[in-house]
Amino acid sequence: MPESTKQKGALRKLFFTMLYISTFTFGGGFVIITFMKKKFVDELHWIDETEMLDLTALAQSSPGAIAVNAAILVGWRVAGFPGMAVAVLATIIPPMVILSVISFFYAAFAANTYVALVLKGMQAGVAAVILDVVVGLGANVVKTKSIIHLAIMAAAFIATFVYGVNVIYIILGAAAIGILLAMYDRKRKEERQ
């Protein structure tokens, strides 16, 4: 099979996968990342679990919507620039269509008690999905048995829930520690050689 045909097939699969994920996930970027992990790591094996964790961290720490940032990174990883463009397009189409319809019928939706009840029920489902992401990604950190990573995770939790520190400061602090650790590891490798 020619390379261009393989790439077109991969782009088509990437588009429809991201379109499906974006259409049927409610609750924001962390929910969509869970489904992206299940599809691209567990089912398709296009990305390994460690790399997905890194892409999630990058998507979260970059400005903008986490879902779009994750689509950019996963699309780039899977098929370069065309993959990135296809993944972003597929990710933004469903919310744009849904928001357009909702804005057109906003007055009817706002006063409807059934719609309000459905949205309340969806909040519980979203909370469960986010908890699943936290447990899954946290378990990966625990498996590394790195005292530094465990300390960062515990410090981030305490800073958020006990002291109410803004998440942006936690992300920037964790990024700074990660950069320092990477520089330290690189220096040690150079000294060994």
Side-chain angles (χ1 to χ4, degrees), residues 7-25:
Q7 185 177 18
K8 286 179 185 176
L11 289 173
R12 188 178 304 112
K13 188 166 196 86
L14 178 64
F15 178 83
F16 285 111
T17 299
M18 291 303 298
L19 187 70
Y20 174 81
I21 289 172
S22 184
T23 301
F24 296 105
T25 52

Side-chain angles (χ1 to χ4, degrees), residues 14-113:
L14 178 64
F15 178 83
F16 285 111
T17 299
M18 291 303 298
L19 187 70
Y20 174 81
I21 289 172
S22 184
T23 301
F24 296 105
T25 52
F26 293 89
F30 293 112
V31 177
I32 202 168
I33 285 174
T34 302
F35 287 100
M36 289 171 75
K37 179 200 171 289
K38 287 180 181 171
K39 191 66 176 179
F40 297 119
V41 175
D42 300 336
E43 288 179 31
L44 297 174
H45 305 290
W46 285 356
I47 302 171
D48 67 21
E49 198 159 333
T50 305
E51 190 172 15
M52 189 66 199
L53 186 61
D54 293 342
L55 293 177
T56 301
L58 283 171
Q60 183 180 3
S61 60
S62 300
I66 295 173
V68 175
N69 292 343
I72 289 169
L73 295 168
V74 168
W76 184 270
R77 171 61 183 85
V78 169
F81 184 80
M84 179 185 68
V86 163
V88 169
L89 183 65
T91 301
I92 63 172
I93 287 174
M96 287 178 60
V97 170
I98 292 168
L99 289 174
S100 298
V101 170
I102 288 174
S103 68
F104 188 72
F105 295 107
Y106 178 74
F109 281 134
N112 190 319
T113 56

